[in-house]
C-alpha cells in the first residue's frame, strides 16, 4: 500500500516543480505580449499584473500525466481506462480558450460554448456519468443523453464556480488545492480500502491538481507576481470536475456492499460512503458554488446580465468589513477545508458524534474570526526563517513606518480606518485615474521594470 502513495507523491512533486519553474518564464512572456489588462473598476489589485499563469499550470498537468504513465503502480490507470486521455483532451481545449481570453478578452457566451464543447470532448472519450447512487432507491442507470447532459452541467458549473472565486491573490489556487486534497483522501480510500480499480483515475487527477496549485501558489500569493487568468481558473475547474465525474459516475457503489454486514443500522452507516459521491462534488466547490449562485441572483435582481462583473463577491465583502487581503484569503481557506474534510471524515466514521462536535466547534471558531477583522495574526519569531521576508514578524510595522519612494507617510491608524472602505475608494480611484499599461509602468513586485506611481495607491489595501 505504501508504494502507490510514493508514486502519487512523486507525481505530485513533479507536477508542482514543473509548474513552479515554468511560471517565471510565462510571466515574462505575458509581459512581453502585453497580457496585462488595465485595472478595472471591479478589480482590487493596485497595479497591472500579467496573466496567463494557466500556461505553466497546463505544463504541470502534462508533466504529471507523463510521469504517472511511466510509474509501475500507475500504469494500469492508462491501460485500463481512457479517462486520462479524455481529461487531457478537454483540458487542452479549455486551456486554449482561456489563453485567448486572457489576451483578447473574448465574449462570455463564447467562453460558455467552449466550456460545453470541452465537456463534450471528455464525454465522447468515455469520461461521463453512467449511473447515480440514490439514497433509498439504489443505483440508477442513466441513458446516454442523461449522462451527457449531467456531465456537461457539472463541468460548466464547476469551471464557472472556480472562475468566480478567483478574485484575490492565491484564493482560487489555495481553495482548489484544499478541495483536491480532501478528494484525494476519499478516492484513495475507495481504491486501496475497497479494492475498486475504477477509483484510480480520480485519485490520480486529485494528486496532479494538488501539484498544479502548489506549484503556482508561491508566485500567486499576495502580492501576486502573476495571475492564473481564465487559462488557469477554467483549467483547474475542469480537472476538479473530471475527478468528481469519475468518482461519481464510473465507480459502481454495488461493489462496496460485499463489505457490509451486521444490523440494519450498521449497514446504513456503512453505506454512507456510497452516497458521498453525490455530496462530495458539491462540498469541494461549496464556497465557489455559493458565490456563483449569489452573484447570479444579485445581478438578475438588479436587472443586470448574470455574466456582468461586479464587486459583490464573498471575498469583496470580506474586504469591505475590514479584513486584510491575507486574512480574507485565510478565512476562505478555513471554510473550504472545514466543509471538504468534514464531509470526508464523516463518510469514514459516520457513526461517531465526535466528528459532528469537531465540525460544530470549528464552525464557531470560524464565525468568531470572521467577526474580528481587526485581529491580525503574526508569525512567531522562531518561524521567521521559514517564511518569505514580507510575511515575517515586524515586516508590516516596518513597511508602515518607512514609506516607499514617491509616497507620503501614512499613519497606521489611518490605514486601519481605510480598511473597511478601501474597496469602494479603490473603485472611485480607478474611475478617475486612468492606468497606463506597459512594461515601464509595472510594479517591481509583480513584473520587471520600474515601480509605477498611481495617484491613489493607498485607497485599496488588497490585491487582485
Amino acid at each position: 500500500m505504501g508504494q502507490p502513495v510514493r508514486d502519487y507523491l512523486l507525481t505530485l512533486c513533479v507536477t508542482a516543480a514543473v509548474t513552479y519553474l515554468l511560471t517565471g518564464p510565462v510571466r515574462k512572456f505575458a509581459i512581453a505580449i502585453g497580457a496585462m489588462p488595465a485595472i478595472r473598476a471591479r478589480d482590487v489589485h493596485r497595479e497591472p499584473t500579467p496573466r496567463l499563469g494557466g500556461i505553466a499550470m497546463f505544463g504541470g498537468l502534462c508533466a504529471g500525466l507523463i510521469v504517472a504513465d511511466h510509474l509501475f503502480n500507475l500504469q494500469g490507470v492508462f491501460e485500463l481506462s481512457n479517462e486520462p486521455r479524455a481529461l487531457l483532451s478537454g483540458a487542452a481545449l479549455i486551456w486554449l480558450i482561456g489563453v485567448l481570453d486572457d489576451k483578447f478578452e473574448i465574449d462570455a457566451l463564447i467562453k460558455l460554448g467552449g466550456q460545453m464543447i470541452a465537456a463534450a470532448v471528455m464525454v465522447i472519450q468515455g469520461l461521463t456519468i453512467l449511473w447515480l447512487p440514490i439514497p433509498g432507491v439504489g443505483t440508477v442507470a442513466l441513458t446516454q443523453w442523461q449522462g451527457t447532459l449531467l456531465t456537461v452541467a457539472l463541468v460548466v458549473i464547476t469551471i464557472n464556480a472556480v472562475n468566480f472565486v478567483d478574485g484575490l491573490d492565491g484564493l482560487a489556487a489555495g481553495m482548489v488545492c484544499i478541495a483536491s486534497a480532501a478528494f484525494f483522501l476519499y478516492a484513495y480510500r475507495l481504491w486501496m480500502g475497497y479494492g475498486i480499480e475504477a477509483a484510480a483515475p480520480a485519485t490520480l487527477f486529485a494528486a496532479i491538481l494538488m501539484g498544479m496549485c502548489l506549484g503556482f501558489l508561491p508566485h500567486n500569493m499576495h502580492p501576486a507576481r502573476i495571475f492564473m487568468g481564465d487559462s488557469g481558473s477554467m483549467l483547474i475547474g475542469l480537472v476538479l470536475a473530471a475527478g468528481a465525474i469519475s468518482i461519481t459516475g464510473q465507480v459502481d457503489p454495488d461493489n462496496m456492499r460485499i463489505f457490509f454486514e451486521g444490523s440494519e443500522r450498521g449497514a446504513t452507516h456503512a453505506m454512507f460512503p456510497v452516497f458521498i459521491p453525490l455530496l462530495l462534488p458539491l462540498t469541494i466547490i461549496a464556497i465557489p458554488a455559493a458565490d456563483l449562485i449569489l452573484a447570479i441572483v444579485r445581478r438578475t435582481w438588479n436587472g443586470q446580465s448574470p455574466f456582468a462583473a461586479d464587486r459583490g463577491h464573498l471575498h469583496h465583502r470580506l474586504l469591505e468589513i475590514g479584513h486584510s487581503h491575507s486574512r480574507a484569503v485565510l478565512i476562505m481557506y478555513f471554510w473550504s477545508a472545514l466543509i471538504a474534510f468534514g464531509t470526508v471524515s464523516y463518510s469514514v466514521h459516520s457513526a461517531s458524534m465526535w466528528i459532528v462536535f469537531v465540525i460544530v466547534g470549528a464552525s464557531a471558531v470560524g464565525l468568531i474570526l470572521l467577526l474580528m477583522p481587526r485581529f491580525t495574526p503574526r508569525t512567531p519569531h522562531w518561524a521567521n526563517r521559514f517564511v518569505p521576508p514580507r510575511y515575517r514578524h515586524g515586516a508590516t510595522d516596518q513597511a508602515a513606518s518607512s514609506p516607499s519612494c514617491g509616497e507620503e507617510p501614512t499613519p497606521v491608524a489611518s490605514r486601519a480606518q481605510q480598511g473597511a472602505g478601501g474597496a469602494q475608494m479603490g473603485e472611485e480611484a480607478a474611475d478617475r485615474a486612468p492606468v497606463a499599461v506597459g512594461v515601464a509602468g509595472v510594479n517591481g513586485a509583480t513584473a520587471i521594470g520600474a515601480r509605477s506611481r498611481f495617484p491613489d495607491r493607498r485607497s485599496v489595501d488588497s490585491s487582485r
Side-chain angles (χ1 to χ4, degrees):
M1 182 178 296
Q3 190 67 31
V5 172
R6 289 195 293 268
D7 289 346
Y8 280 122
L9 288 178
L10 178 59
T11 303
L12 187 154
C13 292
V14 170
T15 304
V18 172
T19 303
Y20 177 81
L21 295 175
L22 286 179
T23 304
V26 167
R27 173 171 160 267
K28 296 180 180 179
F29 171 74
I31 296 172
I33 67 173
M36 296 186 302
I39 298 178
R40 301 158 295 187
R42 70 175 186 270
D43 293 331
V44 296
H45 60 280
R46 295 175 294 182
E47 301 183 3
T49 305
R51 292 182 179 179
L52 293 177
I55 296 179
M57 304 180 83
F58 183 73
L61 170 66
C62 295
L65 290 175
I66 293 174
V67 169
D69 191 23
H70 289 80
L71 295 177
F72 176 77
N73 291 280
L74 301 181
Q75 284 181 342
V77 177
F78 297 85
E79 296 173 355
L80 302 177
S81 174
N82 197 43
E83 294 182 18
R85 299 176 183 85
L87 170 66
L88 184 59
S89 301
L93 180 57
I94 202 70
W95 169 78
L96 180 60
I97 296 173
V99 169
L100 294 177
D101 181 65
D102 289 341
K103 173 57 181 172
F104 301 107
E105 295 281 350
I106 62 178
D107 186 72
L109 292 179
I110 297 178
K111 288 194 296 183
L112 180 62
Q115 295 167 7
M116 299 175 67
I117 294 174
V121 168
M122 295 194 300
V123 170
I124 293 174
Q125 300 187 61
L127 186 56
T128 182
I129 298 177
L130 301 177
W131 47 68
L132 286 177
I134 306 298
V137 178
T139 302
V140 177
L142 301 178
T143 64
Q144 181 178 1
W145 280 107
Q146 290 174 339
T148 299
L149 292 177
L150 189 58
T151 302
V152 172
L154 182 59
V155 170
V156 172
I157 290 174
T158 307
I159 289 176
N160 286 280
V162 175
N163 192 21
F164 270 49
V165 83
D166 183 27
L168 296 178
D169 297 347
L171 181 57
M175 291 182 64
V176 172
C177 183
I178 293 171
S180 57
F183 194 82
F184 174 84
L185 295 177
Y186 174 75
Y188 185 81
R189 177 172 176 262
L190 287 186
W191 181 29
M192 301 305 299
Y194 293 99
I196 301 178
E197 294 288 340
T203 312
L204 176 62
F205 297 165
I208 292 177
L209 184 56
M210 278 192 289
M212 295 166 60
C213 296
L214 290 175
F216 185 72
L217 269 175
H219 298 272
N220 191 233
M221 293 302 290
H222 181 66
R225 297 165 58 86
I226 185 174
F227 294 152
M228 68 172 65
D230 281 2
S231 59
S233 62
M234 293 198 300
L235 175 63
I236 61 178
L238 182 133
V239 178
L240 187 63
I245 291 168
S246 178
I247 206 72
T248 303
Q250 300 290 327
V251 176
D252 188 356
D254 290 335
N255 294 336
M256 302 170 61
R257 294 180 182 174
I258 59 176
F259 298 94
F260 303 150
E261 298 177 357
S263 63
E264 182 179 354
R265 180 178 180 182
T268 302
H269 288 306
M271 282 289 290
F272 189 80
V274 178
F275 305 130
I276 282 295
L278 291 175
L279 304 176
L280 197 59
L282 301 178
T283 59
I284 58 182
I285 60 168
I287 302 298
D291 196 12
L292 172 64
I293 295 173
L294 291 175
I296 293 176
V297 172
R298 179 178 63 253
R299 294 166 185 174
T300 305
W301 183 267
N302 294 331
Q304 300 176 343
S305 168
F307 302 101
D310 59 16
R311 293 174 59 90
H313 294 292
L314 295 177
H315 49 270
H316 290 138
R317 296 184 182 276
L318 289 175
L319 297 177
E320 289 175 359
I321 65 176
H323 291 287
S324 66
H325 180 284
S326 299
R327 186 178 174 82
V329 171
L330 291 177
I331 289 175
M332 300 286 280
Y333 284 178
F334 172 84
W335 287 110
S336 298
L338 178 63
I339 295 174
F341 285 99
T343 304
V344 173
S345 300
Y346 191 73
S347 70
V348 177
H349 299 288
S350 58
S352 176
M353 290 301 296
W354 285 107
I355 302 296
V356 178
F357 292 150
V358 170
I359 294 176
V360 172
S363 301
V365 173
L367 291 175
I368 293 174
L369 295 177
L370 187 64
L371 298 176
M372 297 174 58
R374 294 293 181 265
F375 172 73
T376 304
R378 295 182 179 273
T379 304
H381 288 286
W382 59 267
N384 280 347
R385 66 179 64 183
F386 303 108
V387 298
R390 62 177 178 267
Y391 299 125
R392 293 176 183 172
H393 182 85
T396 304
D397 297 337
Q398 183 178 0
S401 60
S402 57
S404 59
C405 179
E407 217 176 285
E408 295 180 0
T410 304
V412 177
S414 63
R415 291 189 178 186
Q417 295 172 358
Q418 293 169 355
Q424 296 89 336
M425 296 173 62
E427 195 171 348
E428 297 174 0
D431 293 337
R432 66 173 180 266
V435 179
V437 179
V439 174
V442 180
N443 188 346
T446 56
I448 58 175
R451 180 181 296 273
S452 61
R453 297 179 176 85
F454 292 93
D456 195 6
R457 286 171 52 100
R458 296 167 293 162
S459 58
V460 178
D461 193 32
S462 59
S463 175
R464 183 75 169 117

